[in-house]
Amino acid sequence: MSNIFTKRLTKELRDLQANPPAGIVVDKADDDLKSWKVVIRGAEGTLYDGETFKLQFKFSNNYPLESPEVIFLDNIPIHPHIYSNGHICLSILYDQWSPALTISSVCLSIQSMLSSAVKKERPPDNAMYILTAKKSPKATTWAFHDDKV
Amino acid sequence: MSDNSHNPPAQDAETYARPTDDEILQYERKIKEPHTLAPLVGEKTGFESLQAEYADGSPTTQAKIALLAEEYSGLRCTRRDGNCFYRGLAYRLCELVSERKDTLWAKAVMQRLGPHSREAVGRAGYDLDLMGDFAECWEDAVRDGDREGAAADSVVCWLRIVTAAILKNNRDMFEAFILDSYPTLDLFIGSQVEPMNIEADQPHIVAIANALGVTIKIGNLDTTLNTDGVMNWHEIEPLEPLVIPDSAPKAEDQPQVVLLYRPGHYDILYPI
């Protein structure tokens, strides 16, 4: 499996560096490919226009059969599905993950999630969540109830 | 909870009523444990354990199991992790091909599960550069008769993508199956086909039978249909059957994959 892990991530890195989607830049990928930082820019004409955010991806040896762990670092966007500890409520990062998805498609989904926000606000249960959440968002039992934002 | 200041036990009840995420996860792990420790595909056994499992079950189920025991030599249980349909199918098909190595049937199946499937996946818009490693695991396992390899998660993953590709490539036909429960076929595929650990249902089975050119026969142990103890079988035949030359010896059989269905789970059945 580790062979698939290396081949797959090497190819994803090459593709992202050669043909990055608009507003998505790989900032750093560790030599062992297990941890990446990717910068995404808020799309034009949205509440996050001009802002940039840093995502951290961590991959287990079982990637891409297992989802990557994805969180925002440092400047956490204020958004109804993003907690102030950087955890993101997005089903494809958890039980709806599929090995057919890529780092690039995850970044585009997160960018599109930012774009569809109509108000910059934290999730209503932010205070409670960040008190009880584990370090990895993958240890959370997520309930996905709003597909619109 | 309007007057909980006067009613401490109620407050306690509220505190304890809602488990933390951690407690939920621990509980989930505990109930899943026997399943995650089970082999991906178990040893071939008789029907005794099935009979024991349903000893207190409905007479309909017991009668169905008795019939199975007459007509089938045994079964192999697959791990109950939501991948059992794909895993059981892969394991059994690999076994059938290796038992009939070099027959015209086996060659036709190899064509369908190899180049034909890759072509369908590419045509559906998936990146074969990304998914090809999984295809290789499947093709290698069947060619080498490596049943354990065929039961791996990487093969389950590939069969899910092949299933999704057939659904996408035959959109008009399959939308009719799913549009009463999902707004679009792509949303259905994204939530019910592509992710691991999500069980297959009728549309998935029809699609993968079409891809592989193999008839998948499913015995239903469920009791909601009034079948009076007679096993209800569903035979899902590929719309596009295998192309086998007329010169094929008549004795050369075209085996089916036979699975036993219980709500949410599939095991492998062995004809006598």
PDB file of all heavy atoms in Angstrom, chain B residues 11-23:
ATOM      1  N   GLN B  11     -30.891  18.218  36.079  1.00  0.00           N
ATOM      2  CA  GLN B  11     -29.688  18.792  35.490  1.00  0.00           C
ATOM      3  C   GLN B  11     -28.649  17.690  35.245  1.00  0.00           C
ATOM      4  O   GLN B  11     -28.006  17.648  34.220  1.00  0.00           O
ATOM      5  CB  GLN B  11     -29.125  19.844  36.434  1.00  0.00           C
ATOM      6  CG  GLN B  11     -28.129  20.749  35.751  1.00  0.00           C
ATOM      7  CD  GLN B  11     -27.782  21.929  36.616  1.00  0.00           C
ATOM      8  OE1 GLN B  11     -28.011  21.924  37.823  1.00  0.00           O
ATOM      9  NE2 GLN B  11     -27.217  22.950  36.003  1.00  0.00           N
ATOM     10  N   ASP B  12     -28.569  16.798  36.243  1.00  0.00           N
ATOM     11  CA  ASP B  12     -27.674  15.663  36.061  1.00  0.00           C
ATOM     12  C   ASP B  12     -28.079  14.866  34.829  1.00  0.00           C
ATOM     13  O   ASP B  12     -27.244  14.468  34.030  1.00  0.00           O
ATOM     14  CB  ASP B  12     -27.719  14.742  37.292  1.00  0.00           C
ATOM     15  CG  ASP B  12     -26.834  15.275  38.394  1.00  0.00           C
ATOM     16  OD1 ASP B  12     -26.070  16.228  38.108  1.00  0.00           O
ATOM     17  OD2 ASP B  12     -26.906  14.749  39.492  1.00  0.00           O
ATOM     18  N   ALA B  13     -29.388  14.653  34.744  1.00  0.00           N
ATOM     19  CA  ALA B  13     -29.869  13.881  33.607  1.00  0.00           C
ATOM     20  C   ALA B  13     -29.444  14.552  32.313  1.00  0.00           C
ATOM     21  O   ALA B  13     -29.021  13.896  31.365  1.00  0.00           O
ATOM     22  CB  ALA B  13     -31.392  13.746  33.657  1.00  0.00           C
ATOM     23  N   GLU B  14     -29.499  15.874  32.305  1.00  0.00           N
ATOM     24  CA  GLU B  14     -29.123  16.577  31.078  1.00  0.00           C
ATOM     25  C   GLU B  14     -27.626  16.399  30.824  1.00  0.00           C
ATOM     26  O   GLU B  14     -27.196  16.163  29.708  1.00  0.00           O
ATOM     27  CB  GLU B  14     -29.477  18.061  31.214  1.00  0.00           C
ATOM     28  CG  GLU B  14     -29.298  18.794  29.905  1.00  0.00           C
ATOM     29  CD  GLU B  14     -29.521  20.287  30.058  1.00  0.00           C
ATOM     30  OE1 GLU B  14     -29.086  20.850  31.086  1.00  0.00           O
ATOM     31  OE2 GLU B  14     -30.130  20.868  29.163  1.00  0.00           O
ATOM     32  N   THR B  15     -26.848  16.490  31.896  1.00  0.00           N
ATOM     33  CA  THR B  15     -25.407  16.359  31.756  1.00  0.00           C
ATOM     34  C   THR B  15     -25.043  14.994  31.170  1.00  0.00           C
ATOM     35  O   THR B  15     -24.183  14.868  30.326  1.00  0.00           O
ATOM     36  CB  THR B  15     -24.714  16.496  33.127  1.00  0.00           C
ATOM     37  OG1 THR B  15     -25.220  17.677  33.736  1.00  0.00           O
ATOM     38  CG2 THR B  15     -23.221  16.570  32.992  1.00  0.00           C
ATOM     39  N   TYR B  16     -25.748  13.960  31.661  1.00  0.00           N
ATOM     40  CA  TYR B  16     -25.375  12.621  31.240  1.00  0.00           C
ATOM     41  C   TYR B  16     -26.103  12.164  29.974  1.00  0.00           C
ATOM     42  O   TYR B  16     -25.718  11.200  29.362  1.00  0.00           O
ATOM     43  CB  TYR B  16     -25.635  11.629  32.379  1.00  0.00           C
ATOM     44  CG  TYR B  16     -24.669  11.839  33.512  1.00  0.00           C
ATOM     45  CD1 TYR B  16     -25.091  12.336  34.739  1.00  0.00           C
ATOM     46  CD2 TYR B  16     -23.317  11.585  33.320  1.00  0.00           C
ATOM     47  CE1 TYR B  16     -24.194  12.561  35.764  1.00  0.00           C
ATOM     48  CE2 TYR B  16     -22.415  11.808  34.336  1.00  0.00           C
ATOM     49  CZ  TYR B  16     -22.845  12.292  35.567  1.00  0.00           C
ATOM     50  OH  TYR B  16     -21.952  12.516  36.575  1.00  0.00           O
ATOM     51  N   ALA B  17     -27.179  12.884  29.643  1.00  0.00           N
ATOM     52  CA  ALA B  17     -28.009  12.398  28.534  1.00  0.00           C
ATOM     53  C   ALA B  17     -27.252  12.457  27.216  1.00  0.00           C
ATOM     54  O   ALA B  17     -27.434  11.606  26.365  1.00  0.00           O
ATOM     55  CB  ALA B  17     -29.286  13.210  28.434  1.00  0.00           C
ATOM     56  N   ARG B  18     -26.424  13.484  27.059  1.00  0.00           N
ATOM     57  CA  ARG B  18     -25.777  13.643  25.758  1.00  0.00           C
ATOM     58  C   ARG B  18     -24.334  13.175  25.823  1.00  0.00           C
ATOM     59  O   ARG B  18     -23.495  13.816  26.441  1.00  0.00           O
ATOM     60  CB  ARG B  18     -25.836  15.125  25.356  1.00  0.00           C
ATOM     61  CG  ARG B  18     -25.457  15.341  23.909  1.00  0.00           C
ATOM     62  CD  ARG B  18     -25.574  16.803  23.529  1.00  0.00           C
ATOM     63  NE  ARG B  18     -26.933  17.292  23.715  1.00  0.00           N
ATOM     64  CZ  ARG B  18     -27.253  18.577  23.807  1.00  0.00           C
ATOM     65  NH1 ARG B  18     -26.331  19.492  23.752  1.00  0.00           N
ATOM     66  NH2 ARG B  18     -28.516  18.937  23.953  1.00  0.00           N
ATOM     67  N   PRO B  19     -24.023  12.029  25.229  1.00  0.00           N
ATOM     68  CA  PRO B  19     -22.644  11.543  25.306  1.00  0.00           C
ATOM     69  C   PRO B  19     -21.693  12.452  24.522  1.00  0.00           C
ATOM     70  O   PRO B  19     -22.120  13.111  23.567  1.00  0.00           O
ATOM     71  CB  PRO B  19     -22.729  10.148  24.670  1.00  0.00           C
ATOM     72  CG  PRO B  19     -23.963  10.154  23.839  1.00  0.00           C
ATOM     73  CD  PRO B  19     -24.883  11.174  24.409  1.00  0.00           C
ATOM     74  N   THR B  20     -20.459  12.495  24.963  1.00  0.00           N
ATOM     75  CA  THR B  20     -19.475  13.275  24.219  1.00  0.00           C
ATOM     76  C   THR B  20     -19.114  12.525  22.940  1.00  0.00           C
ATOM     77  O   THR B  20     -19.378  11.331  22.818  1.00  0.00           O
ATOM     78  CB  THR B  20     -18.187  13.467  25.036  1.00  0.00           C
ATOM     79  OG1 THR B  20     -17.627  12.161  25.247  1.00  0.00           O
ATOM     80  CG2 THR B  20     -18.473  14.119  26.364  1.00  0.00           C
ATOM     81  N   ASP B  21     -18.476  13.247  22.020  1.00  0.00           N
ATOM     82  CA  ASP B  21     -18.026  12.614  20.772  1.00  0.00           C
ATOM     83  C   ASP B  21     -17.131  11.427  21.083  1.00  0.00           C
ATOM     84  O   ASP B  21     -17.185  10.391  20.432  1.00  0.00           O
ATOM     85  CB  ASP B  21     -17.238  13.626  19.928  1.00  0.00           C
ATOM     86  CG  ASP B  21     -18.168  14.583  19.213  1.00  0.00           C
ATOM     87  OD1 ASP B  21     -19.368  14.264  19.100  1.00  0.00           O
ATOM     88  OD2 ASP B  21     -17.690  15.643  18.769  1.00  0.00           O
ATOM     89  N   ASP B  22     -16.294  11.618  22.125  1.00  0.00           N
ATOM     90  CA  ASP B  22     -15.358  10.571  22.482  1.00  0.00           C
ATOM     91  C   ASP B  22     -16.092   9.308  22.922  1.00  0.00           C
ATOM     92  O   ASP B  22     -15.750   8.201  22.528  1.00  0.00           O
ATOM     93  CB  ASP B  22     -14.480  11.095  23.627  1.00  0.00           C
ATOM     94  CG  ASP B  22     -13.130  10.428  23.613  1.00  0.00           C
ATOM     95  OD1 ASP B  22     -12.662  10.097  22.502  1.00  0.00           O
ATOM     96  OD2 ASP B  22     -12.553  10.249  24.698  1.00  0.00           O
ATOM     97  N   GLU B  23     -17.135   9.524  23.745  1.00  0.00           N
ATOM     98  CA  GLU B  23     -17.917   8.369  24.201  1.00  0.00           C
ATOM     99  C   GLU B  23     -18.604   7.670  23.032  1.00  0.00           C
ATOM    100  O   GLU B  23     -18.668   6.455  22.978  1.00  0.00           O
ATOM    101  CB  GLU B  23     -18.963   8.818  25.234  1.00  0.00           C
ATOM    102  CG  GLU B  23     -18.343   9.122  26.588  1.00  0.00           C
ATOM    103  CD  GLU B  23     -19.279   9.890  27.507  1.00  0.00           C
ATOM    104  OE1 GLU B  23     -20.285  10.456  27.029  1.00  0.00           O
ATOM    105  OE2 GLU B  23     -19.001   9.925  28.709  1.00  0.00           O
TER     106      GLU B  23
END
